[in-house]
Amino acid sequence: MLILYTLATGMAASAVRACIMAIVFWSAYVFKRKPDGPSALAFAAILLLAVQPLQLMDPGFLLSFVVVAGLMGFYPTFHALKPKIFQADPWALEDTTVFWKKMARRAFNPVWNLLAASSAAWLASAPLSLFFFNLATPVSLAANLLVIPLAFVILLTGCLSLMTGVVSAVGAEIFNHANLWFVSALLYVVDRFESIPQGYSFVKAPRVEWVAAAYLLLGWVAITKAKKIRVVMALLLAATLAGGWAYYSDRRVTMEVSKMGPVQTILVNGPGSEDV
């Protein structure tokens, strides 16, 4: 099913990488081993680089593995910060919570899980986004709560249209119209979030040493056994440093030229929001 899902996405490079990681992870049972995330991640990277070593210089390759590593390292921490009012009592023999509170908890839990995953992925990818794309996007933390479900539903209705079209043209047309509606909704959501002041900003790319230092800090936070408050404080420190860098780089006018595959991008970074 995972392979079929990857085929349905059009075999995008990022989807193929994610598929290989998942297959390596779950194949541990075939060898009578317990699945281990870091081991599967490392083996998938070695496997892909053995086929195409130059992928190591590809931003997409780096982002794929860094984001998955970030999800492994930070999702449990963010998930554990869920307010106690929305947590069930693990020692209770029977859930005696008031009905409306129980419904609120069930509605809140998926939102919190998605927010935790979005935060972990954003935190892990932020240094590379700054380095490769000169782009800081704190607005994506909230936008992902709508964009990710909508993207899934778009893919789902597209697949249903293809399968239904074999037996019913009317059914295929219904799912096509649904797909068009969800695509329009996704574009509207992106447009609305894009208009939020300071939701994103173009900044000067940090030096390689700063990126390396950021990932050393994030790596320490991910593997430390410290209490949650220390982890949160370390993440706040990282966010403060990133904000300081954005403020410092926003005081000067600079021009940066980057080559992203066959495309050349030029960023003229002026004071405030005067960026081209």
Side-chain angles (χ1 to χ4, degrees):
M1 291 300 296
L2 189 61
I3 293 174
L4 290 175
Y5 184 86
T6 305
L7 291 171
T9 66
M11 294 289 287
S14 57
V16 172
R17 285 192 288 265
C19 181
I20 291 175
M21 292 181 211
I23 289 175
V24 170
F25 180 83
W26 293 114
S27 66
Y29 293 114
V30 178
F31 303 98
K32 302 186 184 303
R33 298 281 184 175
K34 182 181 178 180
D36 178 69
S39 297
L41 191 68
F43 185 79
I46 293 171
L47 188 65
L48 288 167
L49 290 175
V51 178
Q52 292 183 330
L54 292 181
Q55 284 190 97
L56 188 59
M57 309 303 295
D58 178 30
F61 176 88
L62 295 175
L63 282 167
S64 290
F65 282 91
V66 163
V67 167
V68 173
L71 288 170
M72 291 180 185
F74 295 111
Y75 176 78
T77 300
F78 287 125
H79 185 268
L81 296 174
K82 181 167 59 175
K84 290 186 178 181
I85 190 174
F86 292 106
Q87 298 182 22
D89 184 358
W91 295 100
L93 296 177
E94 184 178 354
D95 191 352
T96 57
T97 308
V98 179
F99 177 77
W100 70 266
K101 290 184 177 180
K102 188 185 298 185
M103 292 297 101
R105 187 173 66 202
R106 290 181 179 177
F108 177 79
N109 284 339
V111 176
W112 182 265
N113 294 341
L114 188 56
L115 181 61
S118 176
S119 300
W122 178 83
L123 185 66
S125 62
L128 286 181
S129 295
L130 290 171
F131 183 74
F132 286 115
F133 308 112
N134 304 98
L135 193 61
T137 58
V139 71
S140 61
L141 288 171
N144 282 342
L145 297 179
L146 296 175
V147 169
I148 292 176
L150 282 172
F152 169 76
V153 176
I154 288 170
L155 182 61
L156 177 63
T157 51
C159 291
L160 290 174
S161 174
L162 289 173
M163 292 187 292
T164 307
V166 177
V167 294
S168 172
V170 175
E173 187 173 357
I174 291 174
F175 284 118
N176 274 337
H177 282 292
N179 185 270
L180 178 61
W181 189 90
F182 288 123
V183 170
S184 300
L186 176 61
L187 294 176
Y188 176 80
V189 167
V190 172
D191 185 61
R192 292 298 91 199
F193 276 102
E194 184 183 14
S195 63
I196 295 177
Q198 303 303 315
Y200 70 96
S201 59
F202 292 101
V203 299
K204 177 178 169 61
R207 289 157 52 178
V208 176
E209 307 92 88
W210 283 89
V211 176
Y215 280 114
L216 284 175
L217 173 63
L218 292 176
W220 173 80
V221 172
I223 65 175
T224 184
K225 301 299 182 182
K227 295 181 179 179
K228 288 184 290 187
I229 188 63
R230 289 182 59 188
V231 173
V232 173
M233 290 302 294
L235 299 181
L236 288 176
L237 173 62
T240 302
L241 292 174
W245 177 264
Y247 178 82
Y248 168 74
S249 64
D250 204 32
R251 302 304 96 194
R252 301 174 299 165
V253 177
T254 60
M255 184 174 74
E256 296 190 16
V257 181
S258 305
K259 188 170 179 62
M260 301 298 297
V263 180
Q264 192 176 56
T265 62
I266 301 175
L267 168 68
V268 179
N269 192 358
S273 59
E274 299 175 6
D275 304 315
V276 180

